Amino acid sequence: KDYLFALKRVISLAAGNTTKGRPATAEQQGTALRVLLTFAETLPEDKVAGYLAAFMVPAFHMSESKRPAPLEVQEASEALVKRLDDVAGSEAVASAFNKARTFVQGRRKDRRQSKAVLKMVDPEQAARNKVTRNLKRKVSRKRQKDKGVFKKKRRQFARE
């Protein structure tokens, strides 16, 4: 039972998430993908089907991401998908990819809905959450500024 928790964390890291709500580094993500690849290689072929959809979640995240993943992460992801394709077949992998997509999109929808319901049910708590989120964002920006990392500011055009 403990290995299921560890596997869940590894899948989350491979998808690019850390426990602190920050994006995973390329090293973390690549290592997690290699762990999943090793798991897929050592697991008996008849057992891989049960984990197929879970293993495809990181691949879905990478295919959907707006910014390209580093080369080592892309290679690790492609190796994982190729291994799963060899073991389970391309139809099963495509089906698992679609299941992963619906799972991730469902989670996002639930998160948005719960936030909207919170605004209606308890607007004070929603406002407190917004203030804390903005404070965290402010601290993060200050830390990035001190490091010397600058994001491009969005230009606001005057309306005519």
Side-chain angles (χ1 to χ4, degrees):
K1 193 167 184 175
D2 289 336
Y3 75 90
L4 288 176
F5 173 76
L7 186 62
K8 184 178 175 185
R9 282 296 314 130
V10 168
I11 289 171
S12 179
L13 255 179
N17 306 315
T18 63
T19 53
K20 301 194 183 216
R22 293 190 187 118
T25 64
E27 292 82 20
Q28 289 172 323
Q29 201 171 3
T31 302
L33 283 165
R34 285 188 289 280
V35 167
L36 288 179
L37 177 62
T38 305
F39 193 78
E41 288 173 347
T42 57
L43 204 62
E45 292 185 9
D46 57 329
K47 302 272 185 189
V48 171
Y51 295 101
L52 209 52
F55 285 173
M56 291 307 291
V57 169
F60 169 72
H61 277 288
M62 274 183 246
S63 70
E64 185 196 41
S65 179
K66 292 175 185 161
R67 60 188 169 105
L71 186 62
E72 69 177 46
V73 174
Q74 287 178 354
E75 289 173 352
S77 175
E78 288 168 5
L80 176 63
V81 172
K82 184 179 182 310
R83 171 63 183 159
L84 294 175
D85 199 28
D86 292 343
V87 171
S90 58
E91 282 187 34
V93 170
S95 172
F97 187 84
N98 286 333
K99 285 180 187 175
R101 179 172 38 83
T102 56
F103 172 75
V104 170
Q105 289 174 344
R107 281 298 246 335
R108 288 178 184 161
K109 184 178 177 184
D110 290 347
R111 221 177 291 128
R112 272 190 225 110
Q113 283 179 344
S114 67
K115 200 181 282 188
V117 167
L118 183 66
K119 283 182 183 177
M120 293 174 71
V121 173
D122 193 358
E124 294 159 357
Q125 179 63 40
R128 282 194 296 271
N129 291 350
K130 187 175 180 180
V131 167
T132 56
R133 187 174 58 248
N134 286 336
L135 284 173
K136 286 181 182 179
R137 193 175 294 149
K138 183 179 178 181
V139 168
S140 174
R141 285 185 184 142
K142 183 173 177 13
R143 185 176 55 242
Q144 287 177 351
K145 183 180 173 188
D146 292 343
K147 267 191 199 176
V149 178
F150 296 102
K151 290 186 178 178
K152 292 181 181 176
K153 291 188 177 181
R154 294 181 187 165
R155 293 185 182 184
Q156 294 184 356
F157 297 101
R159 295 184 185 170
E160 295 178 23

